[in-house]
Amino acid sequence: MYKLKEIEEGIYYVGVNDRQKVLFENMWPLPYGVSYNAYLIVDEKTVLVDTVDVCYSDIFLKKIEDALNGRELDYLIVDHMEPDHAGSIRLLRQRYPNVQIVGNAKTFGMLEGFHGIKDGLHEVKEGDSLNIGSRSLTFYMAPMVHWPEVMVTYDEKHQLLFSADAFGTYGTLDGGVIDTEMNLDHFWDEMTRYYANIVGKYGTPVQNALRKLSGLTIRTICSTHGPVWKAQIGKVIGIYDRLSRYEGEPGVVVVYGSMYGNTEQMAEAIATSLADHGVKNIVMHNVSKSHASYILKDIFKYKGLIIGSPTYSNQLYPEVDALLSKIELREVKNRYFGYFGSFCWAGAAVKRLAAFAERMKWETVGTPVEQKQGRIADQYEACRALGEAMALRIKNEE
Ligand code: FEO
């Protein structure tokens, strides 16, 4: 018999921890694992909010059985159809064939597509409520946070928001469930990385959702990933607000590709100059070693970005090119951008970085530096000047 955490009267945590998956979405590393959160409300009606990845369906169904204590399951609310949350719906339906599935029209299209389920549906629209006994649950649409069907569910009785992916983070729940029960230190960077990797493109929809939710009093946030937020709600909303406005902190990310160390030496000269001119938050990434997931996290975190690339077959260095495509996909806004590169016999990388800057509509800072072969001595002062220009631009912001 599981001892399930009761978050508020009659609301139980029935989620699971995944410490086995190496890459979330088969792309993003999970050094701290990830939790798939689901919640069971026991009232006059019994209501499950979301399910979990199908790999954990067995333990998940056992938890629900324990929480129900012999009762039937009346409703499943599907706030989000991505399979890390909706993966167990078909098995849940087999176990509880009479459960009514609550979702919106877009949810139901996906429900049929992923699970072949077409009946026993209860459709809701913006602002609709479902009375389940001592409380009503109200539904608000939050499209593109992070799929088009996403909605959130609000329990006015407890001023509690089931927020789907919003306010989520990587990281398992290692014993505690609520933020007051755990050391949160590693979650803050992981939240930024989660946001940058997963939600990053959808700044405007996140802002729309934040505006919509600003009219609600919220004392508890139950996201689908990471801790249940109570004491840290202000901080968590602040992080999502800042990230979705693409607001960077003072600091500079220096990212470079380098085959034989020549472009790397340019990056070193730039970084030293940044430090000499008072920038303390400097993060350097060798694009061939740092996973893009961490580079994106730092790009979302800081206002300044300097990218360097060798020329490779008359193109950008492929790993740099791949990173640029990830940045473009996320439509990162308002960065101060510097760039540099090297070549052996014909330069192309710097030209392509210039074109990238134009596409991103970023402010270019300093004069781009291009180095031939290993002639760092010829370009050392130019690299330092680029670092100094970025440092002055960042400090003007502070
Ligand atoms: Fe955690 Fe968009 O699913």
Side-chain angles (χ1 to χ4, degrees), residues 80 82 84-85 146 165 225:
H80 185 15
E82 193 164 9
D84 52 335
H85 311 295
H146 117 260
D165 279 346
H225 299 291

Side-chain angles (χ1 to χ4, degrees), residues 321-395:
D321 205 19
L323 176 68
L324 299 191
S325 129
K326 292 181 176 69
I327 296 169
E328 279 196 84
L329 185 144
R330 285 163 179 74
E331 300 173 16
V332 179
K333 294 175 181 46
N334 304 325
R335 289 297 176 268
Y336 297 142
F337 185 56
Y339 54 98
F340 62 99
S342 69
F343 64 96
C344 185
W345 65 91
V350 166
K351 266 186 287 191
R352 292 180 191 281
L353 286 167
F356 166 74
E358 205 158 302
R359 291 198 299 278
M360 296 303 293
K361 301 186 175 66
W362 287 345
E363 178 182 327
T364 298
V365 174
T367 305
V369 189
E370 190 169 33
Q371 177 181 302
K372 187 172 184 182
Q373 298 150 2
R375 298 168 199 263
I376 181 71
D378 293 351
Q379 299 301 335
Y380 193 76
E381 288 309 320
C383 289
R384 291 209 32 105
L386 175 54
E388 181 178 358
M390 182 62 83
L392 290 175
R393 194 70 189 88
I394 294 291
K395 285 171 76 177

Side-chain angles (χ1 to χ4, degrees), residues 24-25 34-37 80-86 145-147 149-150 164-166 194 198-199 223-225:
F24 192 72
E25 292 185 342
V34 67
S35 69
Y36 312 119
N37 299 341
H80 185 15
M81 271 303 298
E82 193 164 9
D84 52 335
H85 311 295
V145 185
H146 117 260
W147 278 16
E149 86 300 355
V150 169
D165 279 346
Y194 169 83
I198 309 298
V199 194
S223 171
T224 47
H225 299 291

Side-chain angles (χ1 to χ4, degrees), residues 12 88 121 179:
Y12 297 91
S88 296
L121 309 180
D179 59 4

